[in-house]
Amino acid sequence: MSDMLRAPAEVKYADELAYLESVDTGPKPFSWRLSPRMVRLFVLGSERADGLDREIPQKWFGDRSFVERSIVTLASDRGLLLIGDPGTGKSWLAELLAAAVCRNSTLVVQGTAGTTEDHIKYSWNVSMVIARGQSRESMIPSPIMTAMEQGVIGRFEELTRSTSDVQDALISILSEKYVSIPELDHDNIVFAKPGFSVIATANSRDRGVNDLSSALKRRFNFIRIPVVTNKRSEAEIVRFRTEELLRRHRIELDVPPTLLDILLQSFADLRAAASAATSDDEKLESALSTAEQIGVLEDAILHSQFFGDRTLRAQTLAGSLMGSLARRAPEDLAILNKYLHGVVEPRAKADGGDWEGFLDGGRQAIASLS
């Protein structure tokens, strides 16, 4: 794992998964490695009432009913579609579920405008076809077809980014549970084994890009993942992901609680301003998601580690926030400048402390970006 830039969940949490499997006595659908109860426990963490002799930390922070509905869907013959705004943890939840159910979260198709039907079904090794002709050996199965053959979970990221032709190819897979290979005379059908399912994600902000057909919608159970608005939950998410970052980079640096509060409050203020805005020019281009908060904090931590005195300061945090959110000039810069003068400056005068340093760092960042 040390030579992986980012280990998949089944590798990162291999010890936990092995332990849960060893103590799991619940019924398991199909060829699942864990029972539904243990899948939920792996994702949401253990409690004292679970009676385990080791603690399983929480990995996804959100409404437990979303996780339970997701697990139930995967135990049926329907696909699972996680839909929500950017940064709500859809992909992370999909990865955790796949890792817990089948110990393989890497059978992924990334939806883009360039995704083709070959990415959903299969393609050919051209050199082998020229040398030996078309056969199962010269065929290159897609991640989805591989999941069908193995009876495990395939993932489809950003489904609505794919064209209607690609989406239509998925309809037959989800309904018929097999793929025909018309180029072959024999052994020309790949049937899905029990346990096969698809977890797809879709960005709610992509509505209208490539809307899902009613036929494809019927093959999925929809679960909408809302933006985290609870400060305590959001703080837990940011703290969890930041601790992972520090471990991965082997950085020993404390994140003062006061600075985490400032980060959370700043995003809350900017979200409120965006909600009150009457035009797009008055809104930041950023989605102001929890994932972007994590990115801001990561940037500030690394800057403090490599170019500072290895102490996270309010000025550095402000510079990272302004630099990350100022994507349009002059619109975003004007919004952030208004926020500094209208919200942060009065707060700095009233509360002092790190808010003063945050104001100073924000002003310097705006000046350098203008």
Side-chain angles (χ1 to χ4, degrees):
M1 191 171 117
S2 61
D3 59 350
M4 294 184 189
L5 181 61
R6 181 191 177 278
E10 61 272 18
V11 174
K12 185 174 185 177
Y13 301 111
D15 184 55
E16 280 184 28
L17 289 167
Y19 166 75
L20 291 174
E21 189 170 355
S22 70
V23 299
D24 192 0
T25 58
K28 302 173 185 176
F30 310 117
S31 56
W32 285 28
R33 300 289 294 270
L34 294 176
S35 66
R37 175 177 170 270
M38 284 299 187
V39 173
R40 182 187 66 180
L41 194 149
F42 171 70
V43 175
L44 295 175
S46 61
E47 299 175 354
R48 185 172 297 178
D50 293 314
L52 300 180
D53 57 11
R54 63 173 286 182
E55 181 183 4
I56 304 299
Q58 186 172 3
K59 301 168 189 66
W60 189 80
F61 297 83
D63 193 317
R64 68 188 301 113
S65 67
F66 297 149
V67 177
E68 291 174 355
R69 284 188 57 214
S70 297
I71 296 169
V72 169
T73 297
L74 294 176
S76 71
D77 62 351
R78 294 172 66 83
L80 171 64
L81 179 61
L82 304 174
I83 186 168
D85 283 354
T88 49
K90 304 181 296 296
S91 297
W92 179 232
L93 177 56
E95 181 179 341
L96 289 171
L97 289 170
V101 168
C102 58
R103 296 286 185 94
N104 189 350
S105 65
T106 61
L107 296 173
V108 184
V109 174
Q110 179 64 53
T112 67
T115 303
T116 66
E117 190 173 333
D118 292 351
H119 295 113
I120 307 297
K121 295 183 174 180
Y122 59 89
S123 57
W124 299 97
N125 183 320
V126 177
S127 60
M128 287 186 68
V129 170
I130 292 173
R132 306 176 190 175
Q134 289 177 321
S135 65
R136 287 298 294 272
E137 288 72 29
S138 59
M139 190 180 73
I140 304 173
S142 71
I144 299 296
M145 180 179 279
T146 300
M148 294 175 70
E149 292 180 302
Q150 296 179 1
V152 296
I153 291 175
R155 294 169 53 205
F156 199 124
E157 290 289 311
E158 305 291 356
L159 181 57
T160 49
R161 286 283 176 183
S162 302
T163 61
S164 57
D165 291 344
V166 173
Q167 294 181 18
D168 288 344
L170 196 57
I171 293 175
S172 62
I173 291 175
L174 291 173
S175 57
E176 305 300 335
K177 300 295 192 293
Y178 68 80
V179 173
S180 297
I181 311 168
E183 295 91 340
L184 301 182
D185 295 328
H186 306 287
D187 195 16
N188 58 0
I189 299 180
V190 173
F191 292 96
K193 291 183 179 180
F196 166 70
S197 190
V198 173
I199 304 177
T201 64
N203 187 340
S204 54
R205 293 200 173 202
D206 287 342
R207 186 175 299 166
V209 176
N210 290 298
D211 286 335
L212 302 183
S213 67
S214 57
L216 186 55
K217 287 179 180 179
R218 288 197 301 271
R219 271 72 180 182
F220 281 109
N221 271 354
F222 281 58
I223 295 181
R224 295 189 175 275
I225 309 295
V227 174
V228 178
T229 55
N230 181 280
K231 266 192 175 182
R232 181 177 178 181
S233 297
E234 196 163 42
E236 288 176 338
I237 296 171
V238 174
R239 192 177 293 111
F240 172 76
R241 302 297 279 185
T242 303
E243 287 172 356
E244 281 192 330
L245 164 76
L246 294 172
R247 284 195 299 269
R248 188 166 72 243
H249 289 281
R250 298 178 183 176
I251 294 175
E252 293 184 7
L253 185 149
D254 290 330
V255 178
T258 54
L259 292 188
L260 183 58
D261 289 341
I262 286 176
L263 178 65
L264 294 169
Q265 186 60 56
S266 297
F267 268 73
D269 293 337
L270 291 168
R271 286 171 186 158
S275 298
T278 56
S279 70
D280 288 342
D281 285 346
E282 296 175 353
K283 298 179 182 178
L284 289 170
E285 188 176 74
S286 164
L288 297 170
S289 66
T290 304
E292 286 172 310
Q293 285 193 62
I294 295 167
V296 168
L297 189 55
E298 177 180 1
D299 181 84
I301 288 172
L302 293 176
H303 194 280
S304 301
Q305 175 73 10
F306 299 130
F307 301 110
D309 58 0
R310 299 187 179 183
T311 300
L312 183 61
R313 302 188 186 281
Q315 291 90 334
T316 307
L317 183 64
S320 296
L321 186 143
M322 299 300 161
S324 298
L325 301 185
R327 300 174 183 176
R328 299 174 301 172
E331 295 90 348
D332 285 352
L333 288 173
I335 294 169
L336 291 169
N337 194 46
K338 180 180 178 181
Y339 168 65
L340 283 176
H341 289 286
V343 178
V344 177
E345 188 173 345
R347 195 171 285 153
K349 290 179 179 178
D351 300 339
D354 284 326
W355 279 107
E356 292 181 342
F358 188 78
L359 175 62
D360 183 54
R363 284 173 171 168
Q364 292 180 27
I366 291 290
S368 64
L369 293 168
S370 301

